[in-house]
PDB file of all heavy atoms in Angstrom:
ATOM      1  N   TRP A 507     -37.910  -9.540 -35.518  1.00 93.00           N
ATOM      2  CA  TRP A 507     -38.152 -10.511 -34.455  1.00 93.00           C
ATOM      3  C   TRP A 507     -36.874 -11.260 -34.087  1.00 93.00           C
ATOM      4  O   TRP A 507     -36.627 -11.551 -32.914  1.00 93.00           O
ATOM      5  CB  TRP A 507     -39.230 -11.501 -34.890  1.00 93.00           C
ATOM      6  CG  TRP A 507     -40.563 -10.849 -35.169  1.00 93.00           C
ATOM      7  CD1 TRP A 507     -41.061  -9.713 -34.576  1.00 93.00           C
ATOM      8  CD2 TRP A 507     -41.550 -11.266 -36.112  1.00 93.00           C
ATOM      9  NE1 TRP A 507     -42.289  -9.404 -35.098  1.00 93.00           N
ATOM     10  CE2 TRP A 507     -42.622 -10.342 -36.038  1.00 93.00           C
ATOM     11  CE3 TRP A 507     -41.642 -12.328 -37.008  1.00 93.00           C
ATOM     12  CZ2 TRP A 507     -43.761 -10.467 -36.822  1.00 93.00           C
ATOM     13  CZ3 TRP A 507     -42.779 -12.443 -37.793  1.00 93.00           C
ATOM     14  CH2 TRP A 507     -43.836 -11.517 -37.703  1.00 93.00           C
ATOM     15  N   ALA A 508     -36.066 -11.563 -35.100  1.00 93.00           N
ATOM     16  CA  ALA A 508     -34.812 -12.263 -34.835  1.00 93.00           C
ATOM     17  C   ALA A 508     -33.852 -11.390 -34.030  1.00 93.00           C
ATOM     18  O   ALA A 508     -33.205 -11.855 -33.081  1.00 93.00           O
ATOM     19  CB  ALA A 508     -34.166 -12.694 -36.152  1.00 93.00           C
ATOM     20  N   ILE A 509     -33.746 -10.100 -34.392  1.00 89.00           N
ATOM     21  CA  ILE A 509     -32.886  -9.179 -33.650  1.00 89.00           C
ATOM     22  C   ILE A 509     -33.366  -9.059 -32.212  1.00 89.00           C
ATOM     23  O   ILE A 509     -32.568  -8.945 -31.270  1.00 89.00           O
ATOM     24  CB  ILE A 509     -32.840  -7.803 -34.333  1.00 89.00           C
ATOM     25  CG1 ILE A 509     -32.082  -7.903 -35.661  1.00 89.00           C
ATOM     26  CG2 ILE A 509     -32.176  -6.760 -33.447  1.00 89.00           C
ATOM     27  CD1 ILE A 509     -32.108  -6.632 -36.468  1.00 89.00           C
ATOM     28  N   GLY A 510     -34.675  -9.097 -32.008  1.00 87.00           N
ATOM     29  CA  GLY A 510     -35.226  -9.015 -30.665  1.00 87.00           C
ATOM     30  C   GLY A 510     -34.990 -10.252 -29.829  1.00 87.00           C
ATOM     31  O   GLY A 510     -35.244 -10.236 -28.629  1.00 87.00           O
ATOM     32  N   GLY A 511     -34.496 -11.338 -30.445  1.00 89.00           N
ATOM     33  CA  GLY A 511     -34.149 -12.526 -29.667  1.00 89.00           C
ATOM     34  C   GLY A 511     -34.946 -13.761 -30.009  1.00 89.00           C
ATOM     35  O   GLY A 511     -34.698 -14.836 -29.429  1.00 89.00           O
ATOM     36  N   ALA A 512     -35.898 -13.690 -30.941  1.00 93.00           N
ATOM     37  CA  ALA A 512     -36.711 -14.850 -31.251  1.00 93.00           C
ATOM     38  C   ALA A 512     -36.015 -15.790 -32.232  1.00 93.00           C
ATOM     39  O   ALA A 512     -35.152 -15.378 -33.004  1.00 93.00           O
ATOM     40  CB  ALA A 512     -38.055 -14.396 -31.834  1.00 93.00           C
ATOM     41  N   ARG A 513     -36.400 -17.053 -32.183  1.00 96.00           N
ATOM     42  CA  ARG A 513     -36.029 -18.021 -33.216  1.00 96.00           C
ATOM     43  C   ARG A 513     -37.139 -17.986 -34.254  1.00 96.00           C
ATOM     44  O   ARG A 513     -38.302 -18.242 -33.944  1.00 96.00           O
ATOM     45  CB  ARG A 513     -35.893 -19.419 -32.600  1.00 96.00           C
ATOM     46  CG  ARG A 513     -35.471 -20.502 -33.584  1.00 96.00           C
ATOM     47  CD  ARG A 513     -35.440 -21.872 -32.932  1.00 96.00           C
ATOM     48  NE  ARG A 513     -34.369 -21.986 -31.955  1.00 96.00           N
ATOM     49  CZ  ARG A 513     -34.539 -22.069 -30.649  1.00 96.00           C
ATOM     50  NH1 ARG A 513     -35.776 -22.029 -30.144  1.00 96.00           N
ATOM     51  NH2 ARG A 513     -33.508 -22.194 -29.833  1.00 96.00           N
ATOM     52  N   VAL A 514     -36.814 -17.635 -35.479  1.00 97.00           N
ATOM     53  CA  VAL A 514     -37.813 -17.442 -36.528  1.00 97.00           C
ATOM     54  C   VAL A 514     -37.630 -18.498 -37.599  1.00 97.00           C
ATOM     55  O   VAL A 514     -36.505 -18.775 -38.023  1.00 97.00           O
ATOM     56  CB  VAL A 514     -37.692 -16.025 -37.153  1.00 97.00           C
ATOM     57  CG1 VAL A 514     -38.785 -15.806 -38.186  1.00 97.00           C
ATOM     58  CG2 VAL A 514     -37.758 -14.944 -36.062  1.00 97.00           C
ATOM     59  N   ARG A 515     -38.738 -19.066 -38.032  1.00 98.00           N
ATOM     60  CA  ARG A 515     -38.716 -20.057 -39.107  1.00 98.00           C
ATOM     61  C   ARG A 515     -39.710 -19.656 -40.181  1.00 98.00           C
ATOM     62  O   ARG A 515     -40.852 -19.280 -39.891  1.00 98.00           O
ATOM     63  CB  ARG A 515     -39.053 -21.462 -38.568  1.00 98.00           C
ATOM     64  CG  ARG A 515     -37.992 -22.020 -37.642  1.00 98.00           C
ATOM     65  CD  ARG A 515     -36.676 -22.241 -38.377  1.00 98.00           C
ATOM     66  NE  ARG A 515     -35.602 -22.708 -37.519  1.00 98.00           N
ATOM     67  CZ  ARG A 515     -34.671 -21.933 -36.993  1.00 98.00           C
ATOM     68  NH1 ARG A 515     -34.700 -20.635 -37.220  1.00 98.00           N
ATOM     69  NH2 ARG A 515     -33.716 -22.444 -36.244  1.00 98.00           N
ATOM     70  N   TYR A 516     -39.252 -19.730 -41.447  1.00 98.00           N
ATOM     71  CA  TYR A 516     -40.051 -19.313 -42.605  1.00 98.00           C
ATOM     72  C   TYR A 516     -40.444 -20.556 -43.372  1.00 98.00           C
ATOM     73  O   TYR A 516     -39.582 -21.317 -43.834  1.00 98.00           O
ATOM     74  CB  TYR A 516     -39.231 -18.367 -43.459  1.00 98.00           C
ATOM     75  CG  TYR A 516     -39.949 -17.816 -44.678  1.00 98.00           C
ATOM     76  CD1 TYR A 516     -41.129 -17.099 -44.550  1.00 98.00           C
ATOM     77  CD2 TYR A 516     -39.410 -17.985 -45.953  1.00 98.00           C
ATOM     78  CE1 TYR A 516     -41.765 -16.570 -45.653  1.00 98.00           C
ATOM     79  CE2 TYR A 516     -40.040 -17.458 -47.066  1.00 98.00           C
ATOM     80  CZ  TYR A 516     -41.216 -16.754 -46.914  1.00 98.00           C
ATOM     81  OH  TYR A 516     -41.839 -16.236 -48.014  1.00 98.00           O
ATOM     82  N   ILE A 517     -41.769 -20.774 -43.504  1.00 97.00           N
ATOM     83  CA  ILE A 517     -42.271 -21.992 -44.148  1.00 97.00           C
ATOM     84  C   ILE A 517     -43.015 -21.605 -45.414  1.00 97.00           C
ATOM     85  O   ILE A 517     -44.096 -20.989 -45.362  1.00 97.00           O
ATOM     86  CB  ILE A 517     -43.206 -22.782 -43.199  1.00 97.00           C
ATOM     87  CG1 ILE A 517     -42.446 -23.214 -41.936  1.00 97.00           C
ATOM     88  CG2 ILE A 517     -43.776 -24.000 -43.911  1.00 97.00           C
ATOM     89  CD1 ILE A 517     -42.696 -22.324 -40.753  1.00 97.00           C
ATOM     90  N   ARG A 518     -42.439 -21.955 -46.574  1.00 95.00           N
ATOM     91  CA  ARG A 518     -43.139 -21.753 -47.852  1.00 95.00           C
ATOM     92  C   ARG A 518     -44.052 -22.945 -48.073  1.00 95.00           C
ATOM     93  O   ARG A 518     -43.581 -24.084 -48.229  1.00 95.00           O
ATOM     94  CB  ARG A 518     -42.140 -21.641 -48.991  1.00 95.00           C
ATOM     95  CG  ARG A 518     -41.424 -20.315 -49.067  1.00 95.00           C
ATOM     96  CD  ARG A 518     -40.641 -20.208 -50.374  1.00 95.00           C
ATOM     97  NE  ARG A 518     -39.603 -21.234 -50.432  1.00 95.00           N
ATOM     98  CZ  ARG A 518     -38.325 -21.023 -50.184  1.00 95.00           C
ATOM     99  NH1 ARG A 518     -37.916 -19.806 -49.872  1.00 95.00           N
ATOM    100  NH2 ARG A 518     -37.457 -22.002 -50.254  1.00 95.00           N
ATOM    101  N   MET A 519     -45.335 -22.688 -48.103  1.00 94.00           N
ATOM    102  CA  MET A 519     -46.292 -23.802 -48.253  1.00 94.00           C
ATOM    103  C   MET A 519     -46.272 -24.373 -49.673  1.00 94.00           C
ATOM    104  O   MET A 519     -46.506 -25.567 -49.868  1.00 94.00           O
ATOM    105  CB  MET A 519     -47.708 -23.307 -47.917  1.00 94.00           C
ATOM    106  CG  MET A 519     -47.798 -22.588 -46.584  1.00 94.00           C
ATOM    107  SD  MET A 519     -47.781 -23.715 -45.199  1.00 94.00           S
ATOM    108  CE  MET A 519     -49.500 -24.146 -45.105  1.00 94.00           C
ATOM    109  N   HIS A 520     -45.997 -23.505 -50.656  1.00 94.00           N
ATOM    110  CA  HIS A 520     -45.955 -23.973 -52.044  1.00 94.00           C
ATOM    111  C   HIS A 520     -44.508 -23.939 -52.529  1.00 94.00           C
ATOM    112  O   HIS A 520     -43.932 -22.880 -52.744  1.00 94.00           O
ATOM    113  CB  HIS A 520     -46.822 -23.085 -52.943  1.00 94.00           C
ATOM    114  CG  HIS A 520     -46.896 -23.579 -54.349  1.00 94.00           C
ATOM    115  ND1 HIS A 520     -47.927 -24.382 -54.807  1.00 94.00           N
ATOM    116  CD2 HIS A 520     -46.059 -23.422 -55.414  1.00 94.00           C
ATOM    117  CE1 HIS A 520     -47.723 -24.674 -56.078  1.00 94.00           C
ATOM    118  NE2 HIS A 520     -46.594 -24.107 -56.470  1.00 94.00           N
ATOM    119  N   ASP A 521     -43.905 -25.128 -52.665  1.00 91.00           N
ATOM    120  CA  ASP A 521     -42.532 -25.226 -53.175  1.00 91.00           C
ATOM    121  C   ASP A 521     -42.423 -26.196 -54.355  1.00 91.00           C
ATOM    122  O   ASP A 521     -41.332 -26.663 -54.686  1.00 91.00           O
ATOM    123  CB  ASP A 521     -41.586 -25.651 -52.057  1.00 91.00           C
ATOM    124  CG  ASP A 521     -41.959 -26.996 -51.441  1.00 91.00           C
ATOM    125  OD1 ASP A 521     -42.905 -27.647 -51.955  1.00 91.00           O
ATOM    126  OD2 ASP A 521     -41.312 -27.403 -50.448  1.00 91.00           O
ATOM    127  N   GLY A 522     -43.581 -26.480 -54.978  1.00 92.00           N
ATOM    128  CA  GLY A 522     -43.576 -27.361 -56.143  1.00 92.00           C
ATOM    129  C   GLY A 522     -43.828 -28.815 -55.830  1.00 92.00           C
ATOM    130  O   GLY A 522     -43.894 -29.640 -56.761  1.00 92.00           O
TER     131      GLY A 522
END
Side-chain angles (χ1 to χ4, degrees):
W507 298 331
I509 290 174
R513 181 183 291 111
V514 183
R515 292 296 177 262
Y516 182 58
I517 299 100
R518 284 190 297 259
M519 309 284 275
H520 184 95
D521 59 5

